[in-house]
Amino acid sequence: MENQQVLFNHSKTSWISVNSDNPTSVAGIREKYQLNEEFIKYALDQNERARVEFDPLTESLLVVYNAPLEEKEDNYFITNPVTFILQKDHFFTFTSTNTAYLVKMIETLIHNDREQSQYSLLFNTIFAISDKFIPLIEEVNSERNTLNKDIKQKITNKKLLALSDLSVGLVYLTTAIRQNSVLLSSLKAVKVYRQLTEEEKEQFEDAIIEANQAVAMAQLATDVLKQLSDTYNNLLNNNLNDTMKVLTLWSIILTVPAIITGYFGMNIAIPYIDGGDSWLKIIGLCVLISAWIFLFIWRRIK
């Protein structure tokens, strides 16, 4: 992915797409346009959280926004930060190989409206990124429903691990979406917000609404998945308790024959065992006592 430059905003502003995986390219852009050194560090940090900062000396705005990856990684969706720097008549985007699809998306946004301003392009891009989260959440919901039906038929370790993967993926998505929403809220406190036109503010509000919608969907999906996980954990614990009850009951019952036969097996004179059918009496006694213990305990634990 090479750097590219496209004019928009009545040819007064240039969009410069920078490949953040290429240190040489980034260094050249920084020197050529005298970009804030701290901003560049944020742009190159693939673990940077969503943030917004304004440099009053250069009148430049930094926005780091979480964008979802199109492909799953380790069976769940994750996000990577994409960085926007607005400085004078330049609109910089720093994307990695994982977020390269955003370059095509921004190209389309510019192609659809070449007269839009820097901030309009920023808010339209943020809106489109937030919108990218929604299909991923819907896919997680669909997988959850399918998995829930399968687990109802039979609980297996493989299915429970798949449920765990969904939970982990939702944690990544929900955290990223919440950071994005907080970022947009904090943008209102930045100086440039007061300089926006009414149209730009309207586009900004649309971006906030879309981000909040993604937050609500992600939170609902997380709550439902957590409830399912808790339900299946309780079910497994209940099954384990039932198993332990049965094993305890049988262990008690099986001790009865051992005690009785041990008693009557002593090499001393014991009443009622002189006849030839004494072994039948002993077996009958074992059965009666075992049956009585079984009924007594079963009624209490049922």
Side-chain angles (χ1 to χ4, degrees):
M1 184 178 66
E2 299 296 333
N3 297 343
Q4 57 178 303
Q5 183 169 339
V6 178
L7 293 176
F8 68 102
N9 189 20
H10 303 282
S11 299
K12 293 186 299 184
T13 306
S14 60
W15 164 53
I16 302 173
S17 173
V18 185
N19 181 4
S20 58
D21 292 333
N22 188 339
T24 303
S25 176
V26 174
I29 292 293
R30 179 180 58 81
E31 293 177 3
K32 181 178 180 180
Y33 296 99
Q34 298 298 306
L35 295 177
N36 185 302
E37 184 69 28
E38 187 177 8
F39 285 4
I40 295 296
K41 290 181 180 179
Y42 291 145
L44 297 179
D45 188 357
Q46 290 302 308
N47 296 314
E48 185 61 48
R49 63 180 178 82
R51 65 166 60 239
V52 57
E53 290 193 13
F54 180 73
D55 182 4
L57 296 178
T58 59
E59 293 289 324
S60 56
L61 176 70
L62 167 82
V63 175
V64 181
Y65 205 75
N66 294 313
L69 273 60
E70 292 187 309
E71 300 295 333
K72 286 185 177 181
E73 186 171 303
D74 295 331
N75 295 326
Y76 43 78
F77 294 109
I78 62 174
T79 64
N80 275 172
V82 56
T83 302
F84 305 93
I85 298 179
L86 283 66
Q87 180 173 295
K88 296 181 180 178
D89 296 327
H90 299 98
F91 182 93
F92 300 91
T93 59
F94 293 80
T95 56
S96 62
T97 302
N98 293 332
T99 55
Y101 72 92
L102 295 176
V103 175
K104 291 291 184 182
M105 186 177 71
I106 296 174
E107 285 179 350
T108 302
L109 291 173
I110 293 177
H111 177 74
N112 292 339
D113 184 7
R114 288 190 174 274
E115 297 181 359
Q116 62 185 312
S117 67
Q118 278 182 310
Y119 294 105
S120 292
L121 180 59
L122 173 65
F123 300 144
N124 289 333
T125 303
I126 287 176
F127 180 96
I129 293 175
S130 297
D131 191 57
K132 281 281 186 180
F133 281 98
I134 294 178
L136 303 187
I137 298 172
E138 291 175 345
E139 183 175 338
V140 170
N141 289 336
S142 178
E143 292 179 1
R144 181 202 66 218
N145 292 334
T146 301
L147 191 58
N148 186 34
K149 293 178 181 178
D150 292 340
I151 293 179
K152 285 182 178 180
Q153 299 296 324
K154 182 180 180 181
I155 299 179
T156 64
N157 290 337
K158 183 178 180 180
K159 294 175 184 178
L160 292 177
L161 288 174
L163 195 66
S164 175
D165 285 341
L166 289 181
S167 298
V168 172
L170 268 180
V171 169
Y172 281 113
L173 291 179
T174 304
T175 302
I177 294 170
R178 283 177 176 172
Q179 287 183 2
N180 289 344
S181 180
V182 172
L183 176 150
L184 292 176
S185 297
S186 62
L187 188 57
K188 290 184 176 181
V190 180
K191 176 183 176 181
V192 295
Y193 178 78
R194 295 187 293 273
Q195 301 172 354
L196 298 178
T197 64
E198 290 301 320
E199 181 181 1
E200 290 169 342
K201 287 183 178 180
E202 183 177 347
Q203 292 166 339
F204 175 65
E205 292 298 329
D206 290 340
I208 290 180
I209 292 173
E210 190 69 12
N212 289 339
Q213 180 182 349
V215 169
M217 290 183 63
Q219 186 59 53
L220 177 60
T222 300
D223 292 343
V224 172
L225 194 55
K226 183 179 184 300
Q227 183 62 43
L228 282 178
S229 297
D230 291 343
T231 299
Y232 288 127
N233 284 335
N234 292 336
L235 182 60
L236 289 173
N237 290 333
N238 186 61
N239 290 341
L240 178 60
N241 290 337
D242 290 342
T243 301
M244 294 304 298
K245 288 177 182 179
V246 172
L247 291 177
T248 301
L249 177 59
W250 279 109
S251 64
I252 294 174
I253 292 174
L254 292 176
T255 58
V256 173
I259 294 174
I260 295 177
T261 54
Y263 175 78
F264 285 99
M266 293 187 296
N267 193 21
I268 58 176
I270 298 177
Y272 309 113
I273 63 170
D274 293 335
D277 60 347
S278 58
W279 64 276
L280 291 174
K281 298 177 181 178
I282 295 174
I283 292 177
L285 182 62
C286 290
V287 171
L288 288 174
I289 295 178
S290 296
W292 179 82
I293 292 176
F294 175 83
L295 293 174
F296 177 79
I297 297 178
W298 183 255
R299 288 177 179 176
R300 288 184 173 272
I301 67 175
K302 188 176 181 181

